[in-house]
Amino acid sequence: MTAYVYDLGKVSLLLYQLLQDQGNDNAGQWLEKRLQIQQSGNSTQQYLLTFTAIPRFTGKQPVTVSQETATALQKEIPGFFVYDWTLDKLARVWWLLLLPADDKSFYLQQVENLFNGAEMNELATLYSALPLLAYPEEWIPRTAEGIRSNIAPVQEAIMVRNPYPARYLPEAAWNQLVMKAIFTDKPLQSIEGLSRRANAPLAAIIVDFAHERQAAGRPVNPLQWQLLTHFLNSTNFPDIARLWNSALNVEKEAAALVCSESSYPPARELLVQAPEIAREISQGLISWNTIADKISL
């Protein structure tokens, strides 16, 4: 098995350059000194101590990312984002890439030790780093455990703009992630691979969940209906028809988007009844992103 599924040298250099670009000379000098110490002795104890100490020496200022760097990172690891990261998180993720991975057992044990001893911010950093860890299939159980947690920063690190879950989680764990995101009001449009990983069992769960919410008089996130797009049938189409007749614009727009992206004949026939909405969809004036913007106001 190849330890890393991307060019480790390129990504490590990009993250290091990004650290230097933040203009924090004290943090840069301290990290450079720790790097020299690590390379001279390769001490596991020093490595772990540095990982823990990083925030004290870097601070937690927001990271500024140029479009050029963002594009270069995306080229190496599609879907990987460092937006909204802080300097300590960036430094810790870069530091993780220095952990020797040639010995698989040693590497896995060291990362497991970091997970086991981590406080909340360290956990969030480790989960944000999932797309960059070596032996990626080995972190599926850890990811499933994180999804089940009730720690909001950990949930966000896994769910929001993280390409690892869509690429590696089996269907049941993926479905659990999506439902947990809905339960906890995470931004669905920021889940990487949301449409690509849609599946029939998840569509059925979405419908049952919506019925429970409606029976309790509680609102349903209109974005969740996009997960029915390719799984419409005679059983769930009445839910889309009901949305179509909703007094809420975002619900009617959600129904129209499902119909426009579906090949289910009754859905196509319903869309024909509203040529103006169909035109706005074709022009990009109505999309799942515009609905996400509206409901976040």
Side-chain angles (χ1 to χ4, degrees):
M1 176 189 291
T2 303
Y4 288 96
V5 294
Y6 59 89
D7 189 324
L8 175 63
K10 284 185 179 179
V11 173
S12 183
L13 185 60
L14 284 166
L15 294 185
Y16 181 74
Q17 187 59 54
L18 187 55
L19 283 167
Q20 301 301 314
D21 291 345
Q22 303 311 304
N24 189 327
D25 293 339
N26 290 335
Q29 292 168 9
W30 182 79
L31 288 169
E32 184 64 30
K33 184 177 180 181
R34 298 308 301 175
L35 175 61
Q36 292 173 3
I37 293 173
Q38 188 63 33
Q39 290 176 333
S40 64
N42 199 24
S43 163
T44 299
Q45 183 181 15
Q46 288 297 322
Y47 178 87
L48 297 176
L49 286 173
T50 298
F51 182 84
T52 301
I54 280 174
R56 296 207 310 271
F57 295 92
T58 63
K60 297 186 177 185
Q61 69 186 67
V63 170
T64 301
V65 188
S66 69
Q67 187 58 51
E68 181 182 3
T69 299
T71 301
L73 285 169
Q74 285 275 321
K75 183 179 178 181
E76 296 299 323
I77 309 172
F80 178 65
F81 289 86
V82 295
Y83 296 110
D84 298 329
W85 282 24
T86 52
L87 187 55
D88 62 315
K89 175 181 280 191
L90 175 62
R92 274 176 164 160
V93 171
W94 169 73
W95 189 253
L96 280 170
L97 301 188
L98 300 177
L99 187 62
D102 293 340
D103 183 334
K104 180 178 179 180
S105 295
F106 171 82
Y107 178 85
L108 295 181
Q109 189 57 57
Q110 295 307 309
V111 178
E112 286 289 355
N113 289 342
L114 288 173
F115 270 106
N116 290 332
E119 44 81 24
M120 183 181 69
N121 290 325
E122 291 172 344
L123 268 182
T125 296
L126 290 166
Y127 280 114
S128 293
L130 284 172
L132 279 67
L133 295 181
Y135 310 104
E137 290 86 353
E138 299 292 341
W139 309 112
I140 292 174
R142 273 288 180 187
T143 306
E145 180 181 316
I147 294 168
R148 290 192 297 270
S149 84
N150 290 317
I151 306 174
V154 167
Q155 294 171 352
E156 287 190 13
I158 299 171
M159 298 171 183
V160 178
R161 292 185 166 183
N162 188 333
Y164 179 90
R167 184 168 180 179
Y168 292 103
L169 287 186
E171 185 174 279
W174 171 257
N175 291 352
Q176 186 179 37
L177 178 149
V178 174
M179 293 310 300
K180 191 66 174 282
I182 293 172
F183 294 151
T184 55
D185 295 324
K186 298 295 185 300
L188 293 186
Q189 289 309 103
S190 295
I191 297 178
E192 290 292 324
L194 182 67
S195 297
R196 177 164 50 85
R197 289 294 308 268
N199 57 79
L202 180 58
I205 295 170
I206 289 290
V207 171
D208 288 342
F209 174 69
H211 290 172
E212 290 176 8
R213 299 275 296 184
Q214 290 159 353
R218 304 179 67 182
V220 175
N221 187 336
L223 294 173
Q224 71 181 56
W225 295 109
Q226 64 187 297
L227 298 170
L228 268 67
T229 298
H230 302 297
F231 306 97
L232 287 180
N233 53 45
S234 59
T235 300
N236 60 34
F237 187 65
D239 288 281
I240 301 302
R242 181 192 57 76
L243 283 180
W244 180 269
N245 294 303
S246 170
L248 299 175
N249 283 339
V250 290
E251 291 194 336
K252 187 175 182 69
E253 290 174 357
L257 282 167
V258 171
C259 292
S260 72
E261 297 167 0
S262 172
S263 59
Y264 186 59
R268 305 300 301 179
E269 294 168 7
L270 192 59
L271 186 63
V272 170
Q273 299 176 20
E276 181 62 23
I277 292 180
R279 183 186 63 78
E280 292 185 16
I281 290 174
S282 66
Q283 294 177 341
L285 300 176
I286 297 175
S287 69
W288 294 113
N289 287 333
T290 63
I291 292 177
D293 290 341
K294 290 177 182 177
I295 64 176
S296 67
L297 294 176

